Amino acid sequence: MSFMGLTKSQRKSLEAEVISNDARLKLTRLVRAECRPGEGNVGIIHRNSFVNIARTVVDLSIYRLEEDEDEMYSNGAYAWHFAETELIMRRPDTAQLVETLADFLQLGMLSVNGVNAILAEDNASIRFRSHDGAISVEILSDQDLQEEDGEAEHPNIRLLVDRMETANAQNDFAAVLHTSATIFETLAKLVFNSPSVENETLGGFFDGYRQRSTLPAPILDYILEVYRRRNREPLAGHGATTAPTVSASDAAIIIEMTKMCIRLERRLSAPELDRIPPPRPVADQA
């Protein structure tokens, strides 16, 4: 069976998955390569397919191409399609991005190997599989990722969230604090998007992260406080003979705030250009 969308459990698993801006740029380059201008109207027709499939996944109106009297398309139509191409991989959240890629792969518009190579390099847990012409989505486990690449530059945020919730279930609330701080440091490095901070602690580049982040100042202050508390909390940032002070209610708040920050960082950084209507003609129906 052809790809019919993510399951509810897959969507749930991807709530904390972060595909970096660098990976999204590389995926955009794959799309650009497949949208090279063709002769006459062929190029824009092909590009229109990419654009409309991507817009359908994020519930935006499609663009119906209509020729003018000379059987050509307007300059405005060309300009809009080129701009939309740059948003195909930037606009969607993680689940929508996965479904967009799966639709492209199902139709043979992109290469499974090419897409998977970019996701593997980004240490993302998503892989696409092709079997008898049908595309499926596989979400790798922590062990799968370690076996695939044990020297990844940063841990997968979704898997760190899983560890945080496992620690909470085991009443290891100091570990909840420790893992939350690790998630925030990883998220900050993804947002900072520079190799210069890869070997730094969050405290060493937090001012730069604050300037680049789209999160409100009070939330950024909370992130910094979690990081600082991790460093002084017994059994969270270091060994100690005293008992940790993180309570069950503290851990519950930390978990929910951590997951909220992951979602907000992506949502607030997403481009707002999807509010700009396409030039005429636009159609939601035939």
Side-chain angles (χ1 to χ4, degrees), residues 178-243:
H178 173 84
T179 311
S180 172
T182 303
I183 291 170
F184 285 141
E185 185 169 271
T186 303
L187 183 64
K189 288 180 178 180
L190 289 171
V191 172
F192 202 99
N193 196 29
S194 171
S196 65
V197 301
E198 279 304 317
N199 296 320
E200 288 195 44
T201 62
L202 181 58
F205 68 94
F206 191 83
D207 288 343
Y209 168 55
R210 185 186 290 274
Q211 293 175 3
R212 289 165 173 79
S213 175
T214 53
L215 295 175
I219 294 180
L220 290 167
D221 293 340
Y222 175 82
I223 290 173
L224 184 58
E225 177 54 32
V226 167
Y227 169 75
R228 287 173 172 169
R229 184 177 181 183
R230 188 274 304 271
N231 290 341
R232 62 177 183 265
E233 183 71 26
L235 304 183
H238 53 82
T241 57
T242 56

Side-chain angles (χ1 to χ4, degrees), residues 3-46:
F3 177 74
M4 297 301 291
L6 294 171
T7 65
K8 289 183 179 180
S9 62
Q10 286 176 323
R11 285 185 171 277
K12 182 69 175 176
S13 296
L14 293 175
E15 284 183 351
E17 184 82 32
V18 177
I19 306 298
S20 72
N21 290 334
D22 184 58
R24 287 172 182 263
L25 174 57
K26 290 176 181 176
L27 290 168
T28 300
R29 286 171 175 151
L30 284 185
V31 173
R32 286 181 197 148
E34 295 300 324
C35 289
R36 292 186 298 270
E39 299 214 0
N41 292 331
V42 172
I44 193 171
I45 292 171
H46 188 49

